[in-house]
Amino acid sequence: MNKTFEQILAELLAEKAKKTALVSLDSTSKTSMWSQLFQVFAWVLYNFSLAAMLHLQEIRELIANQKVFNLRRYRFEALRFQYGFDLVEDSDQFKNTYIENDVEVVANDEKIEESKIVKYAACSRVIDNGRAKIVLKIAPEDLNAIFPNDVMIAFSKYIEEISPAGDHVTVLNYNPDMLKFAFKIKVDPLVLNASGMAILTASYPVQVAIENFLKNLPFDGELSIQKLEASILAVDGVIDLQTLQIESKWIDPALNGYGLYQPVSMAVIPASGRFKIEDFTALQYVS
């Protein structure tokens, strides 16, 4: 109820007028007993409505500010990270100020946006030696790059400060998984030549289709061999194909680098969150 004191009093008077037993209460004096009682009742109802609205507002704020750390929350917090800005003490909010020439400066929107350097993030829960842990994969805007050590120190400190006590969080900042494949592709010689080049445009549409397929995969998304084959078959000039081999390799911390290529039988999720194509030399075109 969001009514003024006057509106409540008017409604009480309107209800009084409907009651024939109260017709005799018709004094217009401000000091009349019935008039003062009605004002007291209206004042009580008005204050009760204010208290109810305040309580409702507090509940809404508590719900809005509730921060249950699930996997979606970790991803959100990773993308919210502002490199170069400190957190407000005992808070998960950034100060959004910095010191320049011994003067505290309030950061503008452009400065704040520039500091949000984590452009891709994905989070999952895994069991490692019987212990549950959170795995958080991150990447910069350039998906072929990784964050330098200084950034990772700051980011890890940020996650440590905002995450609940007891959560074991592992942050992965890996170079892209390498993808290697071999396809035998039957082409229409009227459209594509023996090297897979489009006769009219001098482009290589199969290579473009594969690159676009990988670009359109969500970060940490599953690569399906069947869907990759479908994207190649959709290329103008491609009649049929045979998948000879698809393999991938990823960063192995134990080796301080990439491990060996492993075959992909049906689908694979990249350990780094994304793929990089080694080369296109294994594409075979037949007419």
Side-chain angles (χ1 to χ4, degrees), residues 190-261:
L190 296 176
V191 180
L192 302 177
N193 67 17
S195 64
M197 186 182 77
I199 295 171
L200 291 179
T201 63
S203 62
Y204 291 85
V206 171
Q207 296 184 25
V208 172
I210 295 172
E211 289 174 336
N212 287 339
F213 176 82
L214 294 180
K215 286 179 183 177
N216 290 326
L217 280 179
F219 186 72
D220 206 37
E222 182 180 73
L223 183 152
S224 161
I225 293 179
Q226 186 181 48
K227 291 179 180 178
L228 175 59
E229 291 171 342
S231 70
I232 296 173
L233 288 169
V235 172
D236 186 31
V238 171
I239 298 173
D240 204 351
L241 68 81
Q242 179 185 3
T243 301
L244 304 176
Q245 185 184 54
I246 295 184
E247 296 178 312
S248 70
K249 65 179 180 178
W250 52 91
I251 297 293
D252 186 341
L255 301 175
N256 291 318
Y258 286 98
L260 299 175
Y261 273 106

Side-chain angles (χ1 to χ4, degrees), residues 12-68:
L12 288 174
L13 293 173
E15 286 299 315
K16 168 194 165 294
K18 296 177 183 178
K19 307 295 183 182
T20 56
L22 300 178
V23 172
S24 60
L25 299 177
D26 58 359
S27 174
T28 57
S29 172
K30 293 181 179 179
T31 60
S32 66
M33 183 63 70
W34 76 267
S35 178
Q36 292 187 48
L37 281 174
F38 270 53
Q39 290 189 51
V40 169
F41 295 153
W43 187 252
V44 170
L45 290 171
Y46 174 64
N47 279 274
F48 175 78
S49 68
L50 289 180
M53 286 189 291
L54 180 60
H55 177 67
L56 180 60
Q57 180 62 30
E58 289 175 349
I59 295 298
R60 286 172 175 167
E61 289 177 359
L62 287 172
I63 293 173
N65 294 326
Q66 188 179 32
K67 295 180 179 179
V68 178

Side-chain angles (χ1 to χ4, degrees), residues 106-118:
V106 177
N108 57 28
D109 292 343
E110 183 179 359
K111 193 81 171 179
I112 292 172
E113 199 57 36
E114 287 176 355
S115 71
K116 295 180 179 179
I117 58 176
V118 177

